[in-house]
Amino acid sequence: MKTKLMAAADRVILAAGYTKAITSLKSVLLTLGSAMGAVMLVYGGIKFAMAFRQMDQQGEHQAVYSVVAGGVLVGLSALISALT
């Protein structure tokens, strides 16, 4: 017959199994978000340089949006990983 302490320990072990899967998923998503943000930052920087060279103001604006979106992705990934 199980005591209350043994039953509580079983529940903790089961909960740890569920949280391990969630933690793994979180780390994969944060890594993907950070990598995609870095790619967007580089792509936006190259796009901006090309638009600046051609004196294309519309292209510059679109490139700045790409850089900002990449920065937001990288920043959110860093913030979430720091908070958890």
Side-chain angles (χ1 to χ4, degrees):
M1 185 170 187
K2 287 188 174 182
T3 64
K4 288 184 180 182
L5 183 59
M6 291 171 65
D10 287 343
R11 280 190 229 121
V12 169
I13 291 171
L14 288 175
Y18 289 122
T19 57
K20 182 180 177 188
I22 292 171
T23 304
S24 298
L25 179 63
K26 179 193 74 161
S27 67
V28 167
L29 290 176
L30 287 176
T31 303
L32 281 174
S34 181
M36 287 184 349
V39 169
M40 286 182 71
L41 277 169
V42 170
Y43 174 72
I46 292 170
K47 201 165 134 179
F48 182 81
M50 289 174 29
F52 185 76
R53 183 175 173 258
Q54 295 175 356
M55 300 281 193
D56 179 19
Q57 289 183 350
Q58 184 66 27
E60 290 175 8
H61 289 288
Q62 290 175 354
V64 168
Y65 290 141
S66 296
V67 169
V68 169
V72 166
L73 274 173
V74 170
L76 282 176
S77 296
L79 179 67
I80 290 171
S81 64
L83 291 176
T84 58

